Structures are given as structure tokens and as C-alpha cells.
Amino acid sequence: MTFEELDEILSVAPYAPFMLSLSERRDNELTVNIAPSHVGESRDITEEEVPNPQLRNILNGSRPIEIDSEHVYEITFDRYIIYQVGNESFCSGNPNDEFSGGFLRVYTRSFLLDNLSRMTDAQELDDGSFYPAKWTHYQIITLNHIVDIISLGEPSVNFSIPS
């Protein structure tokens, strides 16, 4: 499955997926595990959970956004240049950015791409070639995190059997 195909699967849900983990199992190989979200069942909130009666009244009958742990996807970038993780509450988009995708985005123009050569040794040369090779900016939007990755190749995407 491709990054774009997984985005189509995830975009069916009204809420962003959850990031379950982010790790480097091998040097300079980034793996991000995500799971779709779904709306859980409504329930009454107990006084022990929420002592404030006004807040408890508001929350009673609400439906939580939960992890769909039956569908876990592993996205691996085996040749990245840089990645950053942001708290989604503090991330804002740049109006000049250009991308395709919903929760999984591929950028053709971004602030991160524009500033990559200032932050790293990766360079776009005068003849239009790239050092060390052509790169792409990928972004994974989850309910609590925004992960930006600049990679030298497409990520691999696999369905992961939950443990």
C-alpha cells in the first residue's frame, strides 16, 4: 500500500488517526505507527471521574473519540533527512504551503522545504539537482501530533497485526 492509498482509507473517518508510536528501530530509519479513530459509545460520567457537577452534566451522554486498535498501520521512512514532531494544539499551517492529501500529506511547497538547506547539509544545486538526492516533504496529521518528515524516498506502508 502507498502513503496516498492509506490517506484515502483514513480520510473516510471524520477525525484524524491516533499516533501510537514513533521510533527509530535502526539508525536513521523512522517508523510511525498510527491507528484510525472512531466515535465510541455514549455513557454517563461518574462523580469519581468528574467531581464538578456542571462539567459532569455537560459530559454525560458525550461520545469519546477512541483508537481503532484493530487497524494499525506502520509507516517507515528508511532514508530521511529530518523529522519533527509538534503538538497539534500549537501547529498552524502556512498559507503559502502546497500539498495533496488529507491526514497524510505530500508537500510540493512548504516552509520546511524552503528552509531545509539552512537547517541541514541537504542542498538544491544551481543546476536543479539535489544533494544527497531528490527529497520529498511528508506530513502525518494525528489527533495529538503533527509529524513532518523530509525523506529521500517514499515511505513503506504496512498493515500491522495488533499485538
Side-chain angles (χ1 to χ4, degrees):
M1 165 182 332
T2 67
F3 193 76
E4 291 82 1
E5 289 169 337
L6 178 55
D7 183 55
E8 289 179 23
I9 292 169
L10 295 172
S11 294
V12 173
Y15 301 102
F18 284 91
M19 180 169 68
L20 304 178
S21 67
L22 182 144
S23 63
E24 289 197 39
R25 291 183 293 200
R26 285 180 239 153
D27 282 346
N28 300 317
E29 178 185 271
L30 178 68
T31 299
V32 182
N33 288 305
I34 62 174
S37 60
H38 69 273
V39 178
E41 296 300 317
S42 65
R43 66 180 182 83
D44 288 332
I45 307 299
T46 66
E47 186 175 354
E48 292 79 31
E49 292 174 301
V50 180
N52 181 306
Q54 290 89 5
L55 181 57
R56 189 171 57 252
N57 188 44
I58 291 169
L59 293 175
N60 272 333
S62 64
R63 299 175 66 187
I65 299 171
E66 298 176 335
I67 297 170
D68 177 357
S69 57
E70 297 296 314
H71 300 93
V72 176
Y73 298 93
E74 181 180 272
I75 305 169
T76 301
F77 298 87
D78 62 4
R79 295 183 61 216
Y80 71 86
I81 295 173
I82 190 172
Y83 71 89
Q84 63 183 17
V85 180
N87 176 331
E88 60 84 26
S89 296
F90 298 97
C91 294
S92 60
N94 184 318
N96 297 320
D97 288 354
E98 296 174 5
F99 61 87
S100 61
F103 298 128
L104 305 182
R105 296 177 175 181
V106 179
Y107 283 79
T108 53
R109 181 176 178 183
S110 70
F111 181 81
L112 190 56
L113 285 170
D114 291 345
N115 290 283
L116 184 64
S117 64
R118 292 183 190 100
M119 298 182 297
T120 70
D121 288 337
Q123 299 292 313
E124 182 174 3
L125 305 174
D126 292 337
D127 66 0
S129 63
F130 293 83
Y131 171 81
K134 179 75 173 131
W135 56 75
T136 303
H137 177 184
Y138 295 91
Q139 186 178 69
I140 301 170
I141 298 174
T142 68
L143 276 173
N144 298 310
H145 306 90
I146 307 289
V147 184
D148 288 284
I149 307 101
I150 296 192
S151 176
L152 295 172
E154 291 184 29
S156 63
V157 178
N158 295 297
F159 182 73
S160 178
I161 306 293
S163 50

